[in-house]
Amino acid sequence: MDSMKAAVIHHPGGPEVLKIEGRPIPTPQAGEVLIRVKAFGLNRSELFTRQGLSPGVIFPRVLGIEAVGLVEEAPGAEFAKGDIVATAMGGMGRNFDGGYAEYTCVPVTQVQVIKTGLPWETLGAIPEMLQTTWGSLFKSLRLGKSDLLLIRRGTTSVGLAAAAIAKNHGAAVGATTRRPDREQLLQSSGVHQVFIDTGTIAKQVKEVFPRGVDKVLELIGTTTLADSLRCAKQRGIVCMTGMVRNKWSFDDFSPMDVIPTSVCLTTDDGGPEDFMLTPLDELVGQVAAGTLRVQVGKVFKLVDIVEAHRCMEENKAGGKIVVLT
């Protein structure tokens, strides 16, 4: 077999621009590995790329910033055929064709071997989510064992993973949700203090924690960032990692007004180096042991990629969307 199925977009637009096409299976060169993709997670950055909002992307393009599967070929013998591997970031789905296909070819410098028996629908949710979570908590926020962490929009897949990892690390965790019926979900992932998010929560947070919290993981974006900054204590850190409302910048940004005295603002936008530093095999072991929850919302087949993207765009999944090939 020398051809594969891939979801290709030829121009920006709605979910319907994703077309299932036959394409030649890529041929790996030295320093590359050909992966037979078994599953991949959907990410909002891919939605933005599909909409034409990612600068520098040339169409046609196979989207997908992550994938899990089996090694098919590695010319440099960096991996053995049949190894279970994960890959993410590094230009996947933007600079070169990504994971929305039956095969993908990526640099060996952004591939990790995973020793696990977890099902593909679980593994498919993991690479980008756990890289983002780990990088945000330990590189950007420098989370300490006694820290009090607040997760803004805690019911996202990254938010739930962050709660579990932070709790396992020894931190105390608070989180927000707009829906009171999600409180039990948050508590089951390690959250001990739930705040119902009305758009402004700083007053609520200060009523419970008068000095504020040590660290804030912002998963909504610029629309709530100023309020999240007011939740942090002096010398606290706020990390903006997520953006769910297609709003990339402040309408009117005055640093002296928005950033409280001595509060630090940072971001997380991990590349392949950060992916390789993520202890993926260790975290997958925690998933298998049940100490780290992976919230898979819905599972689709590759041929149903249009429906999967529509589900993501309408925020109907209730967790990470995974596509099986």
Side-chain angles (χ1 to χ4, degrees):
M1 185 177 69
D2 56 3
S3 65
M4 65 177 185
K5 291 179 182 177
V8 185
I9 59 171
H10 292 266
H11 56 82
E16 68 280 354
V17 301
L18 288 153
K19 305 294 185 183
I20 300 297
E21 300 179 0
R23 285 205 155 193
I25 295 175
T27 300
Q29 305 300 313
E32 295 179 336
V33 56
L34 179 65
I35 300 171
R36 182 184 176 190
V37 178
K38 302 297 288 185
F40 56 86
L42 295 194
N43 300 279
R44 296 198 72 83
S45 64
E46 296 154 0
L47 185 154
F48 299 144
T49 301
R50 193 206 72 214
Q51 293 172 332
L53 301 176
S54 296
V57 175
I58 298 174
F59 300 104
R61 177 63 68 215
V62 176
L63 300 185
I65 65 171
E66 64 175 322
V68 295
L70 303 171
V71 171
E72 183 68 20
E73 184 181 354
E78 296 91 348
F79 305 98
K81 184 172 181 177
D83 278 347
I84 299 173
V85 292
T87 185
M89 308 299 284
M92 286 183 70
R94 294 177 179 173
N95 301 333
F96 58 90
D97 287 340
Y100 287 20
E102 292 178 319
Y103 291 85
T104 189
C105 189
V106 301
V108 298
T109 52
Q110 62 180 72
V111 178
Q112 287 199 47
V113 174
I114 306 172
K115 296 178 174 61
T116 183
L118 287 173
W120 292 114
E121 55 264 34
T122 301
L123 284 179
I126 282 175
E128 193 277 341
M129 177 182 70
L130 290 187
Q131 173 195 332
T132 299
T133 304
W134 187 266
S136 297
L137 292 180
F138 298 110
K139 183 177 182 180
S140 297
L141 287 174
R142 302 191 290 276
L143 187 70
K145 291 184 180 296
S146 61
D147 278 348
L148 175 56
L149 170 71
L150 175 67
I151 304 169
R152 194 76 184 256
R153 196 167 182 256
T155 54
T156 62
S157 57
V158 170
L160 293 170
I165 292 172
K167 180 185 177 184
N168 291 344
H169 186 64
V173 184
T176 77
T177 176
R178 293 180 299 170
R179 295 173 48 179
D181 62 333
R182 294 291 183 90
E183 184 170 353
Q184 187 173 357
L185 171 64
L186 288 168
Q187 290 173 339
S188 68
S189 293
V191 175
H192 80 276
Q193 181 69 50
V194 177
F195 298 95
I196 304 304
D197 199 336
T198 61
T200 55
I201 61 164
K203 183 178 179 182
Q204 288 186 63
V205 171
K206 291 296 182 66
E207 286 173 353
V208 179
F209 307 111
R211 296 177 58 229
V213 300
D214 298 291
K215 310 289 166 63
V216 181
L217 178 56
E218 171 61 76
L219 297 176
I220 298 177
T222 56
T223 56
T224 55
L225 181 58
D227 185 62
S228 291
L229 284 160
R230 291 192 289 272
C231 295
K233 64 171 59 173
Q234 288 195 9
R235 297 184 176 85
I237 305 175
V238 178
C239 175
M240 179 174 148
T241 294
M243 185 179 65
V244 297
R245 295 179 182 172
N246 293 15
K247 189 172 178 59
W248 299 71
S249 59
F250 289 109
D251 292 326
D252 182 21
F253 179 63
S254 172
M256 295 290 286
D257 294 331
V258 173
I259 304 176
T261 298
S262 80
V263 172
C264 297
L265 172 61
T266 186
T267 62
D268 178 79
D269 184 21
E273 298 85 2
D274 293 316
F275 175 69
M276 297 303 289
L277 290 172
T278 303
L280 208 56
D281 202 42
E282 174 187 335
L283 294 172
V284 167
Q286 293 179 23
V287 174
T291 58
L292 174 55
R293 180 174 181 170
V294 173
Q295 182 74 9
V296 177
K298 291 191 176 181
V299 179
F300 294 87
K301 295 287 189 180
L302 178 61
V303 294
D304 299 318
I305 190 68
V306 171
E307 183 183 351
H309 255 248
R310 188 169 288 118
C311 180
M312 174 170 61
E313 193 159 358
E314 295 173 355
N315 293 316
K316 290 183 175 179
K320 185 81 169 182
I321 297 174
V322 176
V323 178
L324 303 175
T325 59

